[in-house]
Structures are given as structure tokens and as C-alpha cells.
Amino acid sequence: MQLITIYALKNDEKMHKFLHENSEWYKFLNRNPSNYQDFVKTMKKQYKLNPTDKISSALDNIDLISSVIETIK
């Protein structure tokens, strides 16, 4: 694995955790450093860090807050 990839993985806590939970990625990253982008996409998909997931979560929170306010009234 390239030093730049190792440095990026160690500095990002979520990436480090994902790599620890899915150790098969060590093999993929060692064999081909260009798999790093696939690794990041997979991590974001599993931890729901994509913009659409964030928007969906925010809308769910707004719905929850509005329903709580309605029940209080």
C-alpha cells in the first residue's frame, strides 16, 4: 500500500473503522492503489455519508420535530 493511502486511512477515523470492520479491503488496496476511490465510495454508502443520505436524514428530523410540535399543541 502506498504511504499516501496509509496516511489518509489513519487520519480519517471513519475510514480506519471501516477498514477494520471490512479487512478484505487491505488486499484490494495493496494490490491496486486505484481501488482507494472504490473504498471511499463503499464506506460512504455503508455509513450513509452521501449528500442524498444527509438530506434524507435532515428531512426525517424535520418531520419528527414537526410531529412533536403538533402533539404539544
Side-chain angles (χ1 to χ4, degrees), residues 10-44:
K10 297 250 184 206
N11 285 335
D12 191 342
E13 192 173 312
K14 289 184 181 182
M15 282 188 196
H16 188 70
K17 180 182 175 188
F18 181 76
L19 188 61
H20 183 70
E21 293 171 353
N22 302 289
S23 59
E24 69 272 3
W25 277 100
Y26 280 111
K27 178 176 65 174
F28 299 136
L29 293 172
N30 276 329
R31 290 184 181 172
N32 190 357
S34 64
N35 285 336
Y36 178 75
Q37 294 301 323
D38 294 332
F39 170 78
V40 172
K41 287 179 187 176
T42 307
M43 185 228 19
K44 285 184 176 185

Side-chain angles (χ1 to χ4, degrees), residues 55-71:
I55 291 170
S56 176
S57 175
L59 290 174
D60 290 343
N61 287 339
I62 290 171
D63 288 340
L64 176 66
I65 291 170
S66 65
S67 66
V68 168
I69 289 173
E70 287 297 319
T71 56

